Amino acid sequence: LQSCNKTALITHSTDGPRSLGVLDPSHIQSVKSALHLSTVPDIVLCREPEQNKIVDFCKSCIQMQQAGSLYICGCPGTGKTLIMEKVKLQVDKWAEEVGICAPLVLSLNCTSLTNSWDIFRRISQMLSPGQENKASQSNNTLLVNAVKHDLCKVAKAGKGYYRRMLLLIVDEMDYLISKNQLVLYELFGLCVHANSRCILIGIANAIDLTDRFLPKLQSLNCKPDVVIFSSYTKDQVLILMNQRLKVFPDAVFHPAALELCARKVAAASGDMRKALHVCRTALDIVEEEMQKGVDEEMKDGDASYLSPNSGQSEVGQGQANGVKQNQYSVHIHHMAEALGKTYRSTSVETVRCLPKHQQMVLCAAVRLFRQGKKDASLAQLNSAYLEFCKSSDIHGLSVLEFSNLCRVLADQGILNLGFSREDRMRRVSLQVDEEDIVFAFQGMRIFRNYLL
């Protein structure tokens, strides 16, 4: 990123960080770029223990040419995928250090798969490029066996042999959850076969995925190591935002504005992606104010104080005309407005952060109540939920688990549960806006398709 041109950022503050005087639009774009997800910081801060565990695991498996599996989990926007992107940049160097072939790297996001078995077709295409007959196997068992065969065979290299490892990174792994979990069992099983060269890294939000949905992994000797990412705290959000902004010589955001953003995001979800979005929204608001200022001055026939090449005297002239020297820096009121736009409802963020089956219950409730009902019995909601599970090929909870789950949602103020002698006859209704639930599920394929 180019640092800001000091002639375009005219400041006069002597107390604390310098605030922006006249901000050129091109520099706003530079700040926005620094706050975009596509801009990856050189160093991953506030995640040193988790990063060390992941790096040590991957480096050890690659250099020792040893298969293994790791499950990375935690709330969205906590650095899981970011650290794996850093790992991918280092694998060639690790292999070169011990004089072995660089591993193949296959990174998959399960939301892009047509169905859960397609993951094995993608692996087959990576292992056997040009052999479309293997990847096109219509029989899932034959397809998995072909992948196992390719992963376990050893290639010849002159008079000797070599094993080229496969680093398989599976993001959004919880999308592979199905009725009997056969896909996930087969996937983790790829790492335990004799001579396997598969290093599997699974990434998902659910902390209990391996224990709750895959209890047989232990007995099958393929239970992965687990690394849990906790939500970012207020102080960590501040550190990460300042890391991105330190390349600019002038303080773009008022410290109090950044702290307000950090407090709100940490309290709601600890999602760093949300914090970056809020800051970019605040800059959009400043841009709108700038444009209004330009339009007003042009109407008055004098916009000279907005010139990027304006000198000290011109800013002084602007002040004489009633223009405040720091009016276009991001202050608390800009950030408050940006937070208001981002968090339209606290219910939206709450629903987005719920575990998958709690989200499925709410999705089933929305569809059920669209039939004109204001409430329904717990048994009716359970039927709607199980229908959703069946259509999504996901194993549903037992009646007791479902009832306990609904109590949890009631404790959170999302559902209202009535009283009855029989648990199944209790009346249930939504305590949050149906529109908030639908809005929260935007971008989540499994829910969006069911609510169409």
Side-chain angles (χ1 to χ4, degrees), residues 26-40:
S26 65
H27 297 129
I28 289 187
Q29 294 307 315
S30 296
V31 179
K32 282 185 180 179
S33 296
L35 295 170
H36 200 276
L37 285 174
S38 60
T39 302
V40 180

Side-chain angles (χ1 to χ4, degrees), residues 287-305:
E287 274 190 301
E288 290 176 10
E289 286 190 2
M290 286 178 63
Q291 189 58 50
K292 287 179 182 178
V294 171
D295 293 342
E296 288 173 5
E297 287 301 314
M298 289 184 70
K299 286 179 183 178
D300 295 339
D302 179 18
S304 60
Y305 77 99

